[in-house]
Amino acid sequence: MESPASGTSASSSKSIKPPRKSRSIQACNSCRKHKTRCEILDGIDQPLIRCHRCKVLGADCSYQTMDRSLFETAFPVKSENNSSTCRYRSDPNTSPSISNASIHNDIFPNLPHQIWSFLRLPRGTLDWTAPLEAIQGLMKRVSGTHDRPPPPIPNDTLEAILSPEQIDHLIAIFEHNYLPWLNFNLIRDRVSPFLNLACCVIASRHLGEGTRSVVAPRLQALFTNCVAKMILQSRKSETLESIQCLLILSLWVPVCGIDEGYRDGRLLIASAVTMAMNMRLNEACELSVALRESQAKGEEVSSQDLLGATDRARLWLALTNVESLLCTGSGRHPLSKRTGSYLKMVALSPDLPGSNLIAGQDLRLRLLSELFDITEAGIAIRLRSLSDTDIEYWHDGFMRVLGSMDRVTRILTPLPMVAEFDGFYFKTLHIIERTCRSLVLYHACLTARQHFVHSEIDNPYWFRQVRPRGLDVLLIWGKESVAVAESVLVTFLEADVRLLGTMPDYMFNMIAFASSFVTGVRFLVIHVGVDFPGSIERLLERTICKLNQCSLSSDSAAAKCSALITAMLKLWMDRMDVAEEGPRESSPPPYSPYSRRSSGHSEPGTQSPRTMSSGFFQSLGSRSTDWSNPGLLRDTTFWNNVSSTHNVY
């Protein structure tokens, strides 16, 4: 959503300077041939420049032979006030498949969010405008480095690695522990070798460590080779079986000590979506609805045709939901688009969630689809100016989004208690719902903050100038964002530990995001000497304990999440030791619309609160911190006001 180009106020007279237009480069030959997204995510300092897709697949990239100077002009110009990430996307005019790849950075250049300054990362290391992507980057750092997947044995097969009994056992493990997360039943032919391989690769997490260390790498090497062939020869591999295989591998990383830097879930699901669209699965929802309507009118409809269309529609919804899940909080837009037909296909009733497993799966597909549609609408909202009209338009947009989320939350809340089947999966759906709300609130505050930074009208009390209809909405949303982040952790702690280890890997990023958010807010609040009552420390300790309990191995997503939160908690404990040794930093007093500011502090705009500096886990446990760096967000003042007790909701 964008506000109308209506009148402007004096406070918004300084417009944002137009960004420097960078030179465009065509997508590489391989990506253009397969009509896929082409990105350089590792910067241009690598010895051979290759796009991310070619690097993951181990394929030759036409960028390797191009003049390096062409790429230097294509990257955003970095300056002291613009620490953009090293990310290049090929020209959308020459690569049609990336037309909605991400929100353009030229609107709001990527700058680190100071909530996470307690991590002491070098400036520009991670892009906190895409917080879940940044968290995933931290998770990879915590996990250390591993070897690339071993090369497959020539002519290797699943039957050569495992006995028929072992294959059946692993497939049964997958169907019991992982299939419910997909919210549809696998569509199998009489013989489905790739699907069997995919199920065994993921279920091998549950093997004993000795057996897994021997079997899992060989399984992964075989599967990686098969997946590479599927993607590089997509036209020949366009089958429902291939699509489902890519969907499964995009959600779960095989656990066998292999560096996941060579695997990108978004690349895998995007390839699956492309195959599905070529097979016209994106039309399956409309077809299923049309057949049902014809049947309701008394027309003759083949039950086999209706069942086939419905199964394909469920697969398409699952694909779009997984792609939205993996793009949520990453700064990227999904390629797939949902139409409103899914609302007709899975209608709501007064008797939710239904009386069987299929009805529960369909309901989760619908609720996830609605939730992601609402979230993507919220992430698209921008504050254009400080005119009353634009501020109210911006505020109304977010209120509509949050109101729509409230409706989904109301339907979802009782389902874990009343569902006869899959109560656990309705429970964990709250983690996604809470995270989506947290991201929308985060985005609302961040876009408002960025407007002040880039329009050069910044001051410590910037949030006072965004008061639609006299409401201190940013303070209200700031308080809610902390409560929502805590509720993510509470929901995780309430869930059954026996099944938590099977969550899609990306959901552990959501747990780490919530933990890092509340930790970062505590750092900023304690920095200005304000008490922050609550039980966050115990909440984090119990979260770490539960992550360790549900972890299936030392290199699982749960174990990495636990290690990251442990590192954050250690930084907090060290900071508290430092706080006891010296005075705290001063900050402007909390703002209240009902009380006059006391004297002794200059007017907004004349004093810059100081924020935390950078560094990383190599300084973990360091007892000295430099507080002299002003950052993008003068969050010490904002969060001081958020945590103050006399601010009115």
Side-chain angles (χ1 to χ4, degrees), residues 11 24 40 155 205 221 268 284 300 320 368 435 497 513 569 586:
S11 61
S24 297
I40 295 177
N155 301 319
R205 297 170 166 214
L268 297 175
E300 184 176 352
T320 61
L368 282 170
T435 301
V497 69
F513 167 63
L569 191 57
S586 62

Side-chain angles (χ1 to χ4, degrees), residues 137-145 559-565 567 616-617:
L138 284 176
M139 298 267 275
K140 291 180 180 180
R141 288 168 178 253
V142 169
S143 65
T145 58
K560 295 172 187 176
C561 183
S562 172
L564 178 57
I565 299 174
F616 184 56
F617 285 77

Side-chain angles (χ1 to χ4, degrees), residues 1-12 381-398 400 451 465-470:
M1 300 178 189
E2 291 188 359
S3 54
S6 52
T8 58
S9 63
S11 61
S12 62
I381 298 174
R382 291 290 184 271
L383 177 62
R384 296 297 298 271
S385 77
L386 297 182
S387 70
D388 290 342
T389 302
D390 281 353
I391 288 177
E392 290 177 4
Y393 192 92
W394 169 85
H395 169 256
D396 291 345
F398 277 111
R400 283 192 295 271
H451 177 82
Q465 296 179 248
V466 184
R467 301 185 68 222
R469 302 176 181 89

Side-chain angles (χ1 to χ4, degrees), residues 92-142:
N93 294 325
T94 59
S95 183
S97 63
I98 62 169
S99 58
N100 51 3
S102 79
I103 298 173
H104 293 298
N105 292 335
D106 56 4
I107 298 177
F108 294 112
N110 295 329
L111 292 168
H113 194 310
Q114 292 302 301
I115 284 179
W116 285 274
S117 56
F118 73 94
L119 294 173
R120 289 172 278 175
L121 288 162
R123 175 180 288 185
T125 303
L126 297 172
D127 174 15
W128 288 105
T129 63
L132 290 186
E133 179 81 359
I135 289 293
Q136 187 163 346
L138 284 176
M139 298 267 275
K140 291 180 180 180
R141 288 168 178 253
V142 169

Side-chain angles (χ1 to χ4, degrees), residues 499-568:
L499 294 174
L500 279 175
T502 66
M503 279 200 315
D505 293 345
Y506 198 72
M507 289 183 66
F508 288 101
N509 293 2
M510 297 178 173
I511 305 302
F513 167 63
S515 302
S516 65
F517 187 87
V518 296
T519 302
V521 171
R522 291 179 80 199
F523 265 97
L524 292 169
V525 171
I526 198 69
H527 173 51
V528 296
V530 177
D531 291 331
F532 197 78
S535 52
I536 294 177
E537 192 169 322
R538 291 188 178 184
L539 197 60
L540 293 178
E541 289 174 349
R542 296 197 177 189
T543 299
I544 293 169
C545 180
K546 193 145 192 175
L547 285 167
N548 291 332
Q549 290 175 356
C550 72
S551 174
L552 297 174
S553 70
S554 59
D555 54 355
S556 66
K560 295 172 187 176
C561 183
S562 172
L564 178 57
I565 299 174
T566 300
M568 293 176 184

Side-chain angles (χ1 to χ4, degrees), residues 217 399 491:
M399 290 305 295
T491 302

Side-chain angles (χ1 to χ4, degrees), residues 350-624:
D351 187 29
L352 297 177
S355 58
N356 56 65
L357 281 171
I358 300 299
Q361 291 175 352
D362 288 347
L363 178 59
R364 292 198 296 276
L365 283 174
R366 170 178 172 140
L367 293 178
L368 282 170
S369 297
E370 285 194 83
L371 188 59
F372 289 132
D373 283 343
I374 294 166
T375 303
E376 288 161 12
I379 298 299
I381 298 174
R382 291 290 184 271
L383 177 62
R384 296 297 298 271
S385 77
L386 297 182
S387 70
D388 290 342
T389 302
D390 281 353
I391 288 177
E392 290 177 4
Y393 192 92
W394 169 85
H395 169 256
D396 291 345
F398 277 111
M399 290 305 295
R400 283 192 295 271
V401 166
L402 295 173
S404 297
M405 283 190 168
D406 289 339
R407 177 179 52 79
V408 175
T409 303
R410 186 196 68 78
I411 294 173
L412 177 60
T413 298
L415 294 180
M417 301 302 298
V418 302
E420 297 181 16
F421 306 96
D422 289 349
F424 169 82
Y425 301 100
F426 284 110
K427 181 71 175 179
T428 50
L429 198 57
H430 275 288
I431 295 177
I432 299 176
E433 177 267 325
R434 295 280 85 189
T435 301
C436 287
R437 189 177 189 91
S438 181
L439 289 171
V440 169
L441 293 168
Y442 174 86
H443 175 75
C445 296
L446 182 61
T447 52
R449 186 71 188 99
Q450 287 175 318
H451 177 82
F452 285 88
V453 172
H454 300 309
S455 58
E456 301 177 357
I457 53 175
D458 202 12
N459 65 77
Y461 292 98
W462 57 275
F463 45 89
R464 289 183 56 188
Q465 296 179 248
V466 184
R467 301 185 68 222
R469 302 176 181 89
L471 188 65
D472 283 313
V473 66
L474 289 173
L475 297 182
I476 295 173
W477 288 344
K479 291 181 179 182
E480 183 182 355
S481 65
V482 176
V484 171
E486 290 176 331
S487 70
V488 171
L489 302 180
V490 171
T491 302
F492 175 76
L493 292 175
E494 291 174 343
D496 188 346
V497 69
R498 294 170 297 178
L499 294 174
L500 279 175
T502 66
M503 279 200 315
D505 293 345
Y506 198 72
M507 289 183 66
F508 288 101
N509 293 2
M510 297 178 173
I511 305 302
F513 167 63
S515 302
S516 65
F517 187 87
V518 296
T519 302
V521 171
R522 291 179 80 199
F523 265 97
L524 292 169
V525 171
I526 198 69
H527 173 51
V528 296
V530 177
D531 291 331
F532 197 78
S535 52
I536 294 177
E537 192 169 322
R538 291 188 178 184
L539 197 60
L540 293 178
E541 289 174 349
R542 296 197 177 189
T543 299
I544 293 169
C545 180
K546 193 145 192 175
L547 285 167
N548 291 332
Q549 290 175 356
C550 72
S551 174
L552 297 174
S553 70
S554 59
D555 54 355
S556 66
K560 295 172 187 176
C561 183
S562 172
L564 178 57
I565 299 174
T566 300
M568 293 176 184
L569 191 57
K570 186 178 188 304
L571 286 172
W572 168 255
M573 300 302 295
D574 290 347
R575 175 67 188 97
M576 293 304 295
D577 291 342
V578 173
E580 293 176 359
E581 297 173 1
R584 292 171 176 169
E585 195 69 39
S586 62
S587 174
Y591 155 72
S592 171
Y594 303 105
S595 62
R596 299 179 62 181
R597 292 190 303 275
S598 60
S599 59
H601 292 275
S602 56
E603 286 298 311
T606 62
Q607 181 176 355
S608 297
R610 298 157 78 189
T611 56
M612 301 181 71
S613 66
S614 35
F616 184 56
F617 285 77
Q618 66 266 25
S619 60
L620 186 66
S622 171
R623 300 176 67 86
S624 61

